[in-house]
Amino acid sequence: MLLLKVKKLNNSFEFYKFANQTNELTHNYTNMNGKYWNEEIETMPRKQLEKLQVERLKKTVEIAMGSEFYAPKFKELGITPESIKSVEDIKRFPFTTKNDLRATYPFGIKSVPLEKVVRLHSSSGTTGNPTVILHSQKDLDEWADAMARSMYCIGLRNTDIIQNTSGYGMFTGGLGIQYAAERLGALTVPAGAGNSKRHVKFITDFGTTALHCIPSYATRLAAAFQEEGIDPRNTTVHTLIIGAEPHSEAQRKRIEEIWGAKAYNNFGMSEMCGPGVAIECQEQNGMHIWEDNYIVEILDPETLEPVPEGELGELVLTTLNREAMPLFRYRTRDLTRILPGDCPCGRTHVRLARFQGRSDDMMIVKGVNIYPIQIEKILMQFPELASDYLITIETVGDNDEMTIEAELAQATDDFGMLQNLTKEITRRLKDEILLTPRVKLVGKGVIPQSDGKAKRVNDLRHNH
Ligand code: ADP
Ligand code: ZN
């Protein structure tokens, strides 16, 4: 790779030129004053974008013929690079699931010899055993570039100081953000997970302007500032990249308010590389998924047929720019929909709506299908509540019972107020989820906190 840095002009703009023999389109020159990281790709007319997808799909098939997992499947289905004519051909491909990754653990899906593989990551195992994802050097470069593009898209520049609160281990939120922020040219603070006091000190001392954190940690870190007598709104932080767990629009608004900063929703998953798959632009209305890197399908999780345009379904992704371990029609289990219409920002890549959760997050209580995010949406409407909550489901006699513990923002002994508040929360929850939960308002620290992604549901029923 060739990196050409032209000297700094007036302190404000800098030109970079990245050129990569294998893939010239992804790395273009970037002017830090421009609107896009890679204008050609980001604003590419749809027809041309589809052409690029077809080319890349062919290339990816060629690479995956080196995979013990995909080669026999392709043979059986008659899938060859030459047989691919349009994006529609994706329908001929087999699905890939998390179970496939588990069954072939650790290296069974790889498409290139091990000497070309330079790093592995492992999913945090939210829903079971870990799985392994392999990366070549080129994969890592492309990933860093995609996430740098995402950072640029929300207004971050090489003048920013980006502090990362994710763990630097197997979790892709650590290194994935690190290399991207470096690629952007920002000053990067790899502070890592936990130790809020240290984060507070670093933000204060270094003048950190942007934070990467999971939404539940954004509120916890704000509380750590308040404990030190500092209002987070008075810090230098102007932008938060929040993602890795489902959160409601109301939760985002709250985060923006306590921080006096913009918070952008960012989607990533280890199987697709990590952060850098999709991000909101400054319109804050849906996450542009980088379609030069993925073919996006939204399918009915039961029939595996496409849902009608714009409707909710399972996100199914095919990687177009990966070589160590490309994945075809990967069933993410995440439920979302494609937002209709063009985005005023000028980017042509489709926008995904805020995630409803994973299909396996769905709770069936007394025959009613409920997603935790529906409950969060209601709780966040009450300024009297802080951001933490826990949903417990138990079997009492022959019945399922749901208890929702919600943390109060401020301690109080005004029992009349608490009673009315509990009643009102219960009423609004019933309107949303169609059954009446038991609502318990609790003080700070009562709800156990997890180190990584927040645990919102505790299902104690016999069959769980
Ligand atoms: P694990 O699958 O073990 O949780 P990952 O760290 O790869 O490991 O997590 C990816 C998952 O995190 C996604 O499939 C999705 O369910 C969730 N996720 C990531 N980003 C977001 C987001 N912005 N909004 C909602 N959910 C998200
Ligand atoms: Zn946009």
Coordinates of all heavy atoms in Angstrom, one line a residue, residues 248-287:
S248 N -33.2 2.5 22.1 CA -34.3 3.2 21.5 C -33.9 4.6 21.1 O -32.9 5.1 21.6 CB -35.5 3.2 22.4 OG -35.0 3.8 23.7
E249 N -34.7 5.2 20.3 CA -34.5 6.6 19.9 C -34.5 7.5 21.2 O -33.7 8.4 21.3 CB -35.6 7.1 18.9 CG -35.5 8.5 18.4 CD -34.2 8.8 17.6 OE1 -33.7 7.9 16.9 OE2 -33.7 9.9 17.7
A250 N -35.4 7.1 22.1 CA -35.5 7.9 23.4 C -34.2 7.8 24.2 O -33.7 8.8 24.8 CB -36.7 7.4 24.2
Q251 N -33.6 6.6 24.1 CA -32.3 6.4 24.9 C -31.2 7.3 24.2 O -30.4 7.9 24.9 CB -31.9 4.9 24.8 CG -30.6 4.6 25.4 CD -30.7 4.3 26.9 OE1 -30.9 5.2 27.6 NE2 -30.7 3.0 27.3
R252 N -31.2 7.4 22.9 CA -30.2 8.2 22.2 C -30.4 9.7 22.6 O -29.4 10.4 22.9 CB -30.3 8.1 20.7 CG -29.3 8.9 20.0 CD -30.0 10.1 19.2 NE -30.7 9.6 18.0 CZ -30.1 9.3 16.9 NH1 -28.8 9.4 16.8 NH2 -30.8 8.9 15.9
K253 N -31.7 10.1 22.6 CA -31.9 11.5 23.0 C -31.4 11.8 24.4 O -30.8 12.9 24.6 CB -33.5 11.8 22.9 CG -34.0 11.7 21.5 CD -34.7 13.1 21.1 CE -34.9 13.2 19.6 NZ -35.9 12.3 19.1
R254 N -31.6 10.9 25.3 CA -31.2 11.0 26.6 C -29.6 11.2 26.7 O -29.1 12.0 27.4 CB -31.5 9.8 27.4 CG -32.4 10.0 28.4 CD -32.9 8.7 28.9 NE -34.1 9.0 29.6 CZ -34.3 8.8 30.8 NH1 -33.5 8.2 31.6 NH2 -35.5 9.1 31.4
I255 N -29.0 10.3 25.9 CA -27.5 10.3 25.9 C -27.1 11.7 25.4 O -26.1 12.3 25.9 CB -27.0 9.1 25.1 CG1 -27.3 7.8 25.8 CG2 -25.5 9.3 24.8 CD1 -27.0 6.6 25.0
E256 N -27.7 12.1 24.3 CA -27.3 13.4 23.8 C -27.5 14.6 24.8 O -26.7 15.5 24.9 CB -28.1 13.7 22.5 CG -27.8 12.8 21.4 CD -28.3 13.2 20.0 OE1 -29.4 13.8 20.0 OE2 -27.5 13.0 19.0
E257 N -28.6 14.4 25.5 CA -28.9 15.5 26.5 C -27.9 15.5 27.6 O -27.3 16.5 28.0 CB -30.3 15.3 27.0 CG -31.1 16.5 27.1 CD -32.5 16.2 27.2 OE1 -33.0 15.9 28.3 OE2 -33.2 16.1 26.1
I258 N -27.6 14.3 28.2 CA -26.7 14.4 29.4 C -25.3 14.7 28.9 O -24.5 15.3 29.7 CB -26.6 13.0 30.2 CG1 -26.7 11.8 29.3 CG2 -27.5 13.0 31.4 CD1 -26.5 10.5 30.1
W259 N -24.9 14.4 27.7 CA -23.6 14.7 27.2 C -23.5 16.1 26.5 O -22.4 16.6 26.3 CB -23.0 13.7 26.3 CG -22.5 12.5 27.0 CD1 -23.2 11.3 27.3 CD2 -21.2 12.3 27.6 NE1 -22.4 10.4 28.0 CE2 -21.2 11.0 28.2 CE3 -20.1 13.1 27.6 CZ2 -20.1 10.5 28.8 CZ3 -18.9 12.6 28.3 CH2 -19.0 11.3 28.9
G260 N -24.6 16.7 26.2 CA -24.6 17.9 25.4 C -23.8 17.6 24.1 O -23.0 18.5 23.7
A261 N -24.0 16.5 23.5 CA -23.2 16.0 22.4 C -24.1 15.3 21.4 O -25.2 14.9 21.8 CB -22.0 15.2 22.8
K262 N -23.6 15.1 20.2 CA -24.4 14.3 19.2 C -24.0 12.8 19.4 O -22.8 12.5 19.6 CB -24.0 14.6 17.8 CG -24.6 16.0 17.4 CD -26.0 15.7 16.9 CE -26.7 17.0 16.6 NZ -28.1 16.9 16.5
A263 N -25.0 11.9 19.4 CA -24.7 10.5 19.5 C -25.2 9.8 18.2 O -26.4 10.0 17.8 CB -25.4 9.9 20.7
Y264 N -24.3 9.1 17.6 CA -24.7 8.4 16.3 C -24.7 6.9 16.5 O -23.8 6.3 17.0 CB -23.6 8.8 15.2 CG -23.7 10.2 14.9 CD1 -22.8 11.1 15.4 CD2 -24.6 10.7 14.0 CE1 -22.9 12.5 15.1 CE2 -24.7 12.1 13.6 CZ -23.8 12.9 14.2 OH -23.9 14.3 13.9
N265 N -25.8 6.3 15.9 CA -26.0 4.9 16.0 C -25.0 4.2 15.0 O -25.0 4.6 13.8 CB -27.4 4.6 15.7 CG -27.8 3.2 16.0 OD1 -27.0 2.4 16.5 ND2 -29.0 2.8 15.6
N266 N -24.3 3.2 15.4 CA -23.3 2.5 14.6 C -23.6 1.0 14.7 O -23.7 0.5 15.8 CB -22.0 2.9 15.2 CG -20.8 2.3 14.5 OD1 -20.8 2.3 13.2 ND2 -19.8 1.8 15.2
F267 N -23.7 0.3 13.6 CA -23.9 -1.1 13.6 C -22.7 -1.9 13.1 O -22.1 -1.6 12.1 CB -25.1 -1.5 12.8 CG -25.2 -2.9 12.4 CD1 -25.3 -3.9 13.4 CD2 -25.1 -3.3 11.1 CE1 -25.4 -5.3 13.0 CE2 -25.2 -4.7 10.7 CZ -25.3 -5.6 11.7
G268 N -22.4 -2.9 13.9 CA -21.3 -3.8 13.5 C -21.6 -5.2 14.0 O -22.3 -5.3 15.0
M269 N -21.0 -6.2 13.5 CA -21.0 -7.5 14.1 C -19.7 -8.2 13.7 O -19.2 -8.0 12.6 CB -22.3 -8.3 13.7 CG -22.3 -8.8 12.4 SD -23.9 -9.5 12.0 CE -24.2 -10.6 13.4
S270 N -19.2 -9.0 14.6 CA -17.9 -9.7 14.3 C -17.9 -10.4 13.0 O -16.9 -10.3 12.3 CB -17.6 -10.7 15.5 OG -17.8 -10.1 16.7
E271 N -19.0 -11.1 12.7 CA -19.0 -11.9 11.5 C -18.8 -11.1 10.2 O -18.4 -11.6 9.2 CB -20.3 -12.7 11.4 CG -20.5 -13.7 12.5 CD -21.2 -13.2 13.7 OE1 -21.0 -12.0 14.1 OE2 -22.0 -13.9 14.3
M272 N -19.3 -9.8 10.3 CA -19.2 -8.9 9.1 C -17.9 -8.1 9.2 O -17.7 -7.2 8.3 CB -20.4 -8.0 9.1 CG -21.7 -8.8 8.8 SD -21.6 -9.5 7.1 CE -21.8 -11.3 7.5
C273 N -17.1 -8.2 10.2 CA -15.8 -7.6 10.5 C -15.9 -6.9 11.8 O -15.0 -7.2 12.7 CB -15.3 -6.5 9.4 SG -16.3 -5.0 9.3
G274 N -16.9 -6.2 12.2 CA -17.0 -5.5 13.4 C -17.6 -4.2 13.2 O -18.3 -4.0 12.2
P275 N -17.3 -3.1 14.0 CA -17.8 -1.8 13.6 C -17.4 -1.4 12.3 O -16.3 -1.7 11.9 CB -17.3 -0.9 14.7 CG -16.1 -1.6 15.3 CD -16.4 -3.1 15.1
G276 N -18.3 -0.7 11.6 CA -17.9 -0.2 10.2 C -18.8 -0.8 9.2 O -18.6 -0.6 8.0
V277 N -19.9 -1.5 9.6 CA -20.8 -2.0 8.6 C -21.9 -1.0 8.2 O -22.1 -0.8 7.0 CB -21.5 -3.3 9.2 CG1 -22.5 -3.9 8.2 CG2 -20.5 -4.3 9.6
A278 N -22.4 -0.3 9.2 CA -23.4 0.7 8.9 C -23.4 1.8 9.9 O -23.2 1.5 11.1 CB -24.8 0.1 8.8
I279 N -23.7 3.0 9.6 CA -23.7 4.1 10.5 C -24.7 5.2 10.1 O -24.9 5.3 8.9 CB -22.3 4.7 10.7 CG1 -22.3 5.6 12.0 CG2 -21.8 5.5 9.5 CD1 -20.9 5.9 12.5
E280 N -25.2 5.9 11.0 CA -26.1 7.0 10.7 C -25.2 8.1 10.2 O -24.1 8.4 10.6 CB -26.7 7.6 12.0 CG -27.9 6.8 12.4 CD -28.4 7.4 13.7 OE1 -27.6 8.0 14.5 OE2 -29.6 7.3 14.0
C281 N -25.8 8.9 9.2 CA -25.1 10.1 8.8 C -25.6 11.2 9.7 O -26.3 11.0 10.6 CB -25.4 10.4 7.3 SG -27.1 10.7 7.0
Q282 N -25.2 12.5 9.4 CA -25.6 13.6 10.3 C -27.1 13.9 10.2 O -27.6 14.6 11.1 CB -24.7 14.8 10.0 CG -23.3 14.5 10.5 CD -22.3 15.6 10.3 OE1 -22.2 16.0 9.1 NE2 -21.7 16.1 11.3
E283 N -27.8 13.3 9.3 CA -29.3 13.4 9.3 C -29.9 12.7 10.5 O -31.0 12.9 10.8 CB -29.9 12.9 8.0 CG -29.4 13.6 6.8 CD -29.9 15.0 6.6 OE1 -31.0 15.3 7.1 OE2 -29.1 15.8 6.1
Q284 N -29.2 11.7 11.0 CA -29.6 10.9 12.2 C -31.0 10.2 11.9 O -31.8 10.1 12.7 CB -29.7 11.7 13.4 CG -28.3 12.1 13.9 CD -28.4 12.7 15.3 OE1 -29.2 13.6 15.6 NE2 -27.5 12.2 16.2
N285 N -31.1 9.7 10.7 CA -32.3 9.1 10.3 C -32.0 7.8 9.5 O -32.0 7.7 8.3 CB -33.1 10.0 9.4 CG -34.5 9.5 9.1 OD1 -35.0 8.5 9.7 ND2 -35.1 10.0 8.0
G286 N -31.6 6.7 10.3 CA -31.3 5.5 9.6 C -29.8 5.3 9.4 O -29.1 6.4 9.2
M287 N -29.3 4.1 9.4 CA -27.9 3.9 9.2 C -27.6 3.5 7.8 O -28.1 2.5 7.3 CB -27.4 2.8 10.2 CG -27.7 3.1 11.6 SD -27.1 1.7 12.7 CE -28.5 0.5 12.5

